Amino acid sequence: MELNIHNAELLLSAANKSHYPQDELPEIALAGRSNVGKSSFINTMLNRKNLARTSGKPGKTQLLNFFNIDDKMRFVDVPGYGYARVSKKEREKWGRMIEEYLTTRENLRAVVSLVDLRHDPSADDVQMYEFLKYYEIPVIIVATKADKIPRGKWNKHESAIKKKLNFDPSDNFILFSSVSKAGMDQAWDAILEKL
Ligand SMILES: Nc1nc2c(ncn2[C@@H]2O[C@H](COP(=O)(O)OP(=O)(O)OP(=O)(O)O)[C@@H](O)[C@H]2O)c(=O)[nH]1
Ligand SMILES: [Mg+2]
């Protein structure tokens, strides 16, 4: 697929099915802990500074944000999980929103599941991976913030993450940095392959 990544925009934000875009374009969703770098991933992949809004403030993204890329595909930025300072009620609302999207959306081709390369995956990270495997949703694991780990230690961190996730070797695992752009080409290859 020929994609002009410069032709990208936020199409709409939605909390439920009735507001999702109504067409057949393939979608790639971004999932991960709050602050892991989902919005930064989108910006880096699209070579934009702040198309998907990022901030030091976790829990900023509250809705599913659909980004149109060249009228050929979409990224769907999903609110992060595991942010401590939200009420139980909000967490439940989040759970329903994300579950509805992931289990019913026919446009969904794969989920890019982001984890922080520096740390062992959280219980929520493990649960998300298990959820995606259970529903047989194709998954690409992207380990973010690789610039914060010396290259000589990347392997060690990668192995620890794979072990904790009970990683399926047939899935993609990509080391990524929004700062150095490491892993960007690999991530595009993996995504385009899923469309
Ligand atoms: N050094 C470094 N910092 C990063 C990287 N990716 C993201 N960050 C920083 O991490 C913080 C959070 O990034 P976001 O992209 O907003 O994270 P998010 O997953 O979208 O967070 P929520 O929308 O709250 O779920 C920001 O300060 C980013 O600049 C990376 O690859 N390297
Ligand atoms: Mg975000």
Side-chain angles (χ1 to χ4, degrees), residues 121-132:
S122 68
D124 288 332
D125 291 333
V126 174
Q127 202 183 10
M128 175 56 76
Y129 187 65
E130 284 173 352
F131 180 94
L132 296 169

Side-chain angles (χ1 to χ4, degrees), residues 6-18:
H6 301 287
N7 185 21
E9 70 198 338
L10 175 62
L11 176 69
L12 60 84
S13 302
N16 56 57
K17 232 178 181 170
S18 65

Side-chain angles (χ1 to χ4, degrees), residues 58-115:
K60 262 257 157 176
T61 316
Q62 301 291 355
L63 299 164
L64 299 167
N65 289 324
F66 292 79
F67 294 91
N68 167 33
I69 306 165
D70 205 22
D71 297 325
K72 294 192 177 99
M73 64 163 288
R74 283 188 287 267
F75 279 148
V76 182
D77 197 3
V78 171
Y81 49 76
Y83 181 48
R85 286 168 62 187
V86 298
S87 65
K88 189 172 168 218
K89 214 172 149 190
E90 284 175 285
R91 247 197 301 276
E92 283 167 0
K93 200 170 110 194
W94 176 90
R96 280 194 299 275
M97 179 171 79
I98 180 74
E99 194 168 324
E100 176 178 55
Y101 176 80
L102 292 177
T103 59
T104 69
R105 184 64 166 162
E106 284 181 10
N107 307 55
L108 181 64
R109 293 293 179 274
V111 172
V112 174
S113 187
L114 293 93
V115 296

